[in-house]
Amino acid sequence: MHNPRRYLLVIVLSIKISIAFTQETQWIETAPGIWKATAGVPESYDLLKASGALPAREAIAAIAPATFPLSQSDITFEVVDGKTYLRFPLQKEEQVYGFGLNFQTVHQRGKILQLHVDHYGGKDNGRTHAPTPFYVSSKGYGIFINTARYINVYAGTAVRKDSKNAPVAKDRNTDKSWNARPYSDAVEILVPAGGVEVYVFGGPTPLDAVRRFNLFNGGGYLPPRWGLGFTQRVKTLYTAADVKKEIAAFREKGYPLDFIGLEPGWQSKSYPCTFSWDSIRFPDPAGFVQELLKDKIRVNLWTNPYVSPDAPNYKAILPYTGSHTVWNGVVPDLTLPQARNLFFDQLQKNQVAIGVSGYKIDEVDGYDHYLWPDVATFPSGITAEQMRQTYGLLVQRYSADLFRQQNKRTFGLVRASNAGGTSFPYVIYNDYYNHKDFITALINSGFAGVLWTPEARASKSAEEWLRRFQTVVFSPMAMINAWASGTKPWSYEEVAEPVKQLALLRMQMMPYWYTAFARYHFQGIPPFRAMNLEEGFAPESKNEIGSTNLEENPYAEAVSKEIKDQYMAGDHLLVAPLFAGQKSRKVVFPKGRWYDFYTGAFAGDGEVITVTPGLDKIPVYVKDGGIIPMMQPVLHAPAAGEKVDLTVRHYGEKPSSYLLYDDDGETFDYEKGAFSWREIKVEKDKRGKWKGTISSPVKGKPNTVGKVTFEFMTK
Ligand code: GAL
């Protein structure tokens, strides 16, 4: 006989499981142009909790006003079987960008992804160093899902039977227009949790939506000036003497250098790490760091966070670590204050206190074969999955505090981040080393609220070295990572001179880069970003996404295609790199007149051109009226408060103005108002001759501007 009570239980359970509720969504404007809604019951730990990000409210309020960008009834939330299903509408011509640091694609419509922190494995499938759950629409809005879970994204792939814009069924037997991927009018997302917070960011432009997202996360980090100089990472087992020799070689040969990166060998043991200096390779760490500082060179230290049984803090930290080890090192549960104190005190005493300027925090992204598995447990109760999604945020957040406590800015490297990490002083890098894909990542970093460096390591040829180097100097961190190869900027003799000129150009452009980063901090504008965020970069024709019937208009065709090999740098520059083996390339100009950066000559306007620049030039173009403040080609960034003479370049035919950011370049005093924006103006006088002016220094504010001269590049 069957037990009737068991039957009843089964029935009750199955009813519970199949309960799905669609809720009436309440959208609350949490900051101007940013709306929040809650689906189901959100978890207590999420990306914003892990990062501790706080919105820069005043800066958000200064963006052009926005109204709720979507029809609210077209957004649906459902909790089914303990999971949350989200649905957002898409229109026909709409494109979507973002969903993290992708390396091969910029257009995300039509993608199926699982957002999961990981090293990049060669496919844009959602597993990446910063799988930021944020997307931006070409229609000028953004959506952010605040969860520390692996989420599944169907970005315009699935079709519901009740779709308002359902595609018509076609007969594949006879109809040539039959499509294996019918039109989808929604982004659908599965969050494996019983609830989640969702944020909508208004525009009106896609750049405004990105700005709101970045400012919502606190705004970009303002690096110290030296962070924008040149950096070399030396071979793993270099000794203090080797490092000093390398620095001397930079000086003698006249290559700029601001900070030098020590790789695993500075530690007595690594993989897992002791976080202690090796007494043979570095017998006097404090003396070494101070000696370098006197020569204007800062030290950056590699580490991963996995604690060796030989680390001084091992025994104490053990109770606050996860169930699983990484390379036999324990994993501190950094959500616990006890673990944080023990871990970061060691770094503070041993390194930061003696003058180390920053860290490169490695291997917090993963690779499933060495990282903790999803069945690992942590003493705080935070699950392995949540820890994986946020560990990069945690190491950035709390290591950044070490420098803030000293009122010193830092700028370092990290291999994992996520939403909420925008205001952290870190640039992402990896081991993947595909030059073209590195540029696509640079473009996508601007949609993900993170920074990315296309580091150079070594190359198969002098040509490849120079091509890589050209993009390194037009990126957030100008870096050679020679941890394995020992490559120096001058290693490829045939191109040693152009490499040097590029490194010096990076230094000359420091006032421009510094202002671009100030705009990231104060206004949320990514310093490196996609063409799709540039005004005037839109197809004239209204082509349906995915349609092949483009009008006979090469420009419209070019801009509606995915552009993943040219990008915007700072306010006014368009960078169009070449890759080894390439002699010429196409450049797509947004509408408006564009000028050659090197000569000032007119280059194009809302059109596609082909350029053959020769090996030693990376094509760079300036917007009409573009102002580029430059300084002398020095070997080190100016010290705090040091005055520098400026040469201000003006391009094109438009009179224009530019706000130059200034502060001491090293501390957080700007947060207390110790900064200024000086207005640079270029106009024509009565006789039609160009004339440039700069507003007077602001009383009581830091002033690092010396003599200013103007160069009118377009004759
Ligand atoms: C890798 C990292 C490299 C280098 C190396 C040292 O994980 O990506 O940049 O630091 O470790 O072992």
Side-chain angles (χ1 to χ4, degrees), residues 233 236 263-264 271 302 360 362-363 370 415 429-431 455 457 481 483:
R233 302 201 70 83
T236 284
E263 288 288 318
Y271 292 88
W302 172 97
K360 165 177 174 180
D362 210 5
E363 286 124 355
Y370 64 66
R415 241 175 52 184
Y429 64 97
N430 72 4
D431 291 336
E455 65 170 46
R457 296 186 162 193
N481 177 11
W483 73 278

Side-chain angles (χ1 to χ4, degrees), residues 683-691:
E683 294 158 307
K684 282 200 168 156
D685 67 14
K686 281 188 203 124
R687 287 171 302 146
K689 270 190 82 183
W690 285 116
K691 205 183 104 208

Side-chain angles (χ1 to χ4, degrees), residues 7-63:
Y7 268 121
L8 195 67
L9 188 72
V10 170
I11 291 164
V12 170
L13 272 179
S14 50
I15 289 174
K16 211 173 154 216
I17 287 166
S18 62
I19 282 178
F21 60 88
T22 312
Q23 65 182 83
E24 207 26 64
T25 314
Q26 297 270 333
W27 289 98
I28 298 158
E29 193 166 10
T30 61
I34 303 176
W35 293 267
K36 173 182 162 179
T38 303
V41 182
E43 296 179 288
S44 57
Y45 187 69
D46 56 37
L47 296 175
L48 295 179
K49 297 257 168 48
S51 65
L54 294 174
R57 294 191 177 274
E58 266 180 48
I60 296 169
I63 303 178

